[in-house]
Amino acid sequence: ILAQTIATGSLPAPFLKAWNLETLARASLAARMVLEGIFSCFVGMGIGAYNHHELLPCLKDSHKLASQKAAIAKEKAAPYVKEMSAKASPYVKELSVKAQDKAAQAAAIAGPMAKDGFAKAKDKATPYLKLAQEKMNEKINQAKS
């Protein structure tokens, strides 16, 4: 099949039915992009590690400038955030009440099952917890003496 593919430059008919060439091309492109991204990440980390003495002041300056600009943007956005918060609070309260009602209904339905499940889990876990507590007490006593 490989020789036929190389000789003719196309896939044999059974493969064409199973694999759409367009799908293969897209998958190949996606895989290539992912591998290029990974390669670029490693190259960037290598360059950054090699030149960290020269890059550090630049990064510190960038961080300082970004912090200053973010503070200004925060001050400008504060009134709008308060306004939107005031508009959204009735909807949030309404949804909160609905969610509490639904949670209460679910708890009423699952109540007996949850209590039984909790009791079973507690019964099964108790011996292991006691064993762990005994081992811990032994270690503490050994450390004290």
Side-chain angles (χ1 to χ4, degrees), residues 23-125:
T23 304
L24 286 173
R26 272 192 246 130
S28 174
L29 178 65
R32 195 172 351 150
M33 290 173 61
V34 168
L35 291 175
E36 285 176 2
I38 292 170
F39 177 75
S40 300
C41 179
F42 281 118
V43 169
M45 286 191 296
I47 292 171
Y50 182 76
N51 292 329
H52 71 280
H53 293 294
E54 289 80 15
L55 295 174
L56 191 60
C58 179
L59 291 173
K60 285 185 177 182
D61 291 344
S62 296
H63 172 69
K64 186 176 180 182
L65 181 63
S67 298
Q68 290 172 354
K69 297 296 181 182
I72 293 170
K74 180 182 172 187
E75 289 174 8
K76 288 182 179 178
Y80 299 109
V81 170
K82 287 182 182 177
E83 179 184 340
M84 292 299 136
S85 175
K87 286 182 180 178
S89 64
Y91 299 110
V92 171
K93 288 179 183 176
E94 180 182 336
L95 291 175
S96 174
V97 169
K98 287 181 181 179
Q100 287 175 353
D101 291 342
K102 293 289 184 182
Q105 290 174 358
I109 292 170
M113 291 186 293
K115 288 179 185 176
D116 292 342
F118 179 72
K120 288 179 185 176
K122 184 179 177 183
D123 292 341
K124 289 184 178 182

